[in-house]
Amino acid sequence: MMYFERTVEAAIQKIDETFPVLIVTGPRQVGKTTLLCHMAKADRRVVSLDNPTIRAFAKRDPEMFLQRYQPPVLIDEVQYAPELFDYIKVYVDQKKQPGDFWLTGSQTFHMMKRVTESLAGRAGIVRMLGLSNSEIRGNHFPPFRVDIPALMERMTETEPMTLPEVYSRIFKGSMPRLYENEAVDPGQYYESYLETYISRDIKALSQVADETAFLNFMAVAAARTATNVNYEAIAGEVGVSAPTVKQWLSILASSGQIAFIQPYSNNALKRVIKAPRMYFLDTGLCAHLTRWSSPETLEQGAMNGQFFETWVVSEIYKSYLNAGKQPPLYFYRDSNQREIDLLIYQDGVLTPIEIKKGSAPKNAVKNFDALKPIEAAPSDEDIFSGMAHLKTAIGTGAVVCLPPDMIPVDEKNWYIPAWLI
C-alpha cells in the first residue's frame, strides 16, 4: 500500500519530545493511526479501542489497562474510554517522561472536554485533516503566506495543474484511501464513510436523535459551502429549528467536517457583518453530498466557483494545521456588499486574498480598498481620537486563481496559481 509522507510529522515530533502526552484529533479515516504507526519506534505498543473487548477492559479497569499496555504506547480511538484520562494524568505526573502516551480520537468534542479537565498542560494537541494537495504531489510547504519570493521558489519545486486536473482533485477529495488505491470508487467510498460517520460518531452524540434528518441536513449544508451561515434558512430547508441547526453545525465543526471562518472585526471598519462563513474541509465529501457525478459536471455546474473557493480555503487551512498552528484566517463583508474572500492576519499584517476560478479575473482586487480605513500609519487625528491602535499594515494582496504563472495584478497585488498552496 502506498504511504504518503505527511507534513504534520514535524509538529508531532516536536510535541513528542516536549510533552508526555500527544493527542492527534481529526475526522475518521484521515490517516491518524497510519501516520503514528509509521512514526512509532519498535518499542511503542499499539492498542485500538475500536476492539470491543479491549474497549470494555479499558472502561472496566483503566488502571490495570495501563499496566497491561505500559508506555510508550499508542492508544487509538481513545474517546471510547474517557475513564483512562484520569489515570494517564496520575501516571505522567509521576513519571514526567516526554512521549509516553500517543492518543488518537475522531470525536473531538467529547475528547477535548476530558482533555481540558484532566490533561491540561500535559498534552500537546495536533489537529489533522485529509491529504493536502501538496502532500499528494510529494511537497511539504510551510503555511501559506503571500510571500512573493518564497512563492517564486515554490514555482521551481512543483508542476503546474490544468483546470481539469484541479477539478479532478476537488471531486476526489482528500481521503488517503482514495489515493492509496486508485481502484476505489469515490462514490462508494463516501457513501460508506457517511454511514460509518453517522452510525458511530453522530449516534454517540445525544443531540442527534434522527439520523435521516441529520444526513439531509449535511446535504443542505454542503450546498451552502463557501457561504455565510444562515441558521434560519438552513432550518427551513431541513425542517428543524434554527437552534438545532446551530447545534448540528457545531457537531460538524467539532468532528472536523467543516470549518467556520470568522469575519474580521475592527472598530475602524463600519457595518461589518457578524455571521461566520462555512467551508467543508473535504471537497470530495461535499461533492458526494451535493450529488455531482463527475469532475467534468462539477467544473461546468452552477457550484463550480463555490467548490473552487472551498478547495482553496481548505488547502490554506490545512497548511496551518499541518504546521501545528491555528489558522489565522478571516473574511470581510460589509453592509455595502463589499467582500474579500479571505484575510490572513499574522504578525501585525493583514493580507487580503480573493479566490476566483478564472486564469486572470478582472477587477478581482477592487474590494481591497475597503481596508483603507485601518491601513497604517496612523495620522495625528487618529492618535488624538484614540484610534491609532486600530491601524495595521496591509500586506501584498493575492488573487488565487488558475493563471499559467505568477503574474502581477498591479504594484501591490499578484495573481497566484491555486496549485502553489
Side-chain angles (χ1 to χ4, degrees):
M1 181 184 291
M2 182 184 296
Y3 175 76
F4 288 87
E5 296 288 336
R6 305 301 294 263
T7 307
V8 76
E9 286 185 20
I12 288 175
Q13 188 64 44
K14 186 174 181 180
I15 289 175
D16 179 59
E17 294 168 356
T18 53
F19 284 88
V21 182
L22 161 73
I23 300 177
V24 179
T25 72
R28 59 175 56 251
Q29 299 182 31
V30 296
K32 301 183 294 295
T33 308
T34 301
L35 168 62
L36 292 181
C37 287
H38 176 79
M39 295 182 67
K41 295 178 180 177
D43 64 339
R44 186 172 295 275
R45 296 170 179 83
V46 179
V47 57
S48 175
L49 300 189
D50 253 339
N51 183 305
T53 303
I54 295 176
R55 179 165 69 241
F57 174 34
K59 293 175 72 67
R60 182 179 67 252
D61 195 340
E63 188 173 17
M64 183 63 69
F65 178 90
L66 293 181
Q67 291 180 24
R68 170 64 182 85
Y69 300 102
Q70 290 187 0
V73 63
L74 163 57
I75 305 175
D76 192 29
E77 301 294 358
V78 71
Q79 78 275 0
Y80 291 133
E83 295 85 355
L84 287 172
F85 285 121
D86 288 338
Y87 289 88
I88 291 173
K89 173 187 174 183
V90 172
Y91 186 97
V92 300
D93 283 350
Q94 290 175 347
K95 302 295 184 181
K96 296 182 171 61
Q97 179 67 34
D100 268 348
F101 291 92
W102 289 4
L103 313 176
T104 77
S106 52
Q107 291 182 19
T108 311
F109 179 80
H110 283 328
M111 188 167 69
M112 288 302 99
K113 186 174 185 294
R114 293 303 298 263
V115 167
T116 54
E117 291 172 353
S118 303
L119 297 176
R122 303 167 180 86
I125 300 169
V126 171
R127 290 175 60 200
M128 190 171 164
L129 296 175
L131 291 165
S132 67
N133 186 49
S134 61
E135 287 172 330
I136 294 168
R137 307 177 84 204
N139 296 312
H140 300 284
F141 296 134
F144 179 78
R145 301 183 72 171
V146 185
D147 181 336
I148 300 305
L151 292 173
M152 288 286 193
E153 183 65 27
R154 284 192 195 186
M155 290 286 297
T156 67
E157 299 173 9
T158 188
E159 292 294 320
M161 293 177 71
T162 64
L163 178 68
E165 287 172 335
V166 167
Y167 274 86
S168 178
R169 183 63 42 80
I170 291 172
F171 179 78
K172 193 169 185 177
S174 63
M175 290 299 185
R177 175 69 174 159
L178 297 174
Y179 296 90
E180 292 165 353
N181 186 345
E182 294 288 341
V184 176
D185 178 70
Q188 293 176 346
Y189 173 85
Y190 283 113
E191 196 64 32
S192 173
Y193 181 89
L194 281 169
E195 184 177 340
T196 306
Y197 172 64
I198 290 177
S199 65
R200 298 188 65 179
D201 292 350
I202 298 304
K203 199 170 184 179
L205 298 168
S206 59
Q207 301 99 317
V208 178
D210 188 338
E211 296 175 21
T212 303
F214 191 84
L215 181 60
N216 181 40
F217 153 76
M218 286 188 71
V220 171
R224 292 173 172 271
T225 187
T227 65
N228 298 333
V229 176
N230 185 326
Y231 300 110
E232 288 76 14
I234 297 174
E237 286 191 59
V238 179
V240 297
S241 68
T244 297
V245 166
K246 189 171 186 177
Q247 193 175 58
W248 286 2
L249 282 175
S250 73
I251 290 172
L252 290 184
S254 67
S255 58
Q257 303 299 337
I258 65 171
F260 291 121
I261 304 299
Q262 298 298 327
Y264 178 76
S265 61
N266 185 312
N267 288 338
L269 298 172
K270 306 300 183 184
R271 300 182 301 278
V272 176
I273 69 160
K274 306 297 184 183
R277 183 162 291 182
M278 175 189 66
Y279 293 93
F280 266 71
L281 292 170
D282 188 283
T283 52
L285 176 62
C286 191
H288 179 76
L289 285 164
T290 46
R291 302 305 177 192
W292 296 99
S293 61
S294 70
E296 293 76 21
T297 56
L298 178 60
E299 188 272 320
Q300 296 165 11
M303 291 185 69
N304 61 48
Q306 277 178 258
F307 269 92
F308 183 72
E309 182 179 335
T310 297
W311 182 65
V312 169
V313 171
S314 68
E315 289 298 315
I316 294 175
Y317 194 89
K318 278 186 273 193
S319 77
Y320 283 89
L321 291 188
N322 287 342
K325 297 181 178 180
Q326 180 68 20
L329 306 180
Y330 304 87
F331 77 98
Y332 176 86
R333 182 182 172 92
D334 60 27
S335 58
N336 295 324
Q337 308 302 311
R338 291 186 300 179
E339 185 173 298
I340 301 172
D341 291 332
L342 206 60
L343 297 167
I344 300 177
Y345 184 57
Q346 198 169 31
D347 299 326
V349 178
L350 191 65
T351 301
I353 298 173
E354 196 66 21
I355 303 167
K356 300 292 183 187
K357 177 190 169 189
S359 59
K362 296 180 180 180
N363 301 319
V365 302
K366 66 181 187 299
N367 289 333
F368 290 2
D369 285 346
L371 301 178
K372 279 190 173 180
I374 62 171
E375 189 168 11
S379 65
D380 289 342
E381 181 181 344
D382 293 321
I383 294 171
F384 287 116
S385 66
M387 300 287 282
H389 68 287
L390 300 176
K391 298 292 184 175
T392 190
I394 307 298
T396 301
V399 181
V400 177
C401 51
L402 291 170
D405 198 354
M406 285 181 58
I407 304 168
V409 179
D410 52 38
E411 66 277 2
K412 198 172 181 182
N413 303 290
W414 286 71
Y415 291 120
I416 294 177
W419 39 265
L420 276 185
I421 298 170

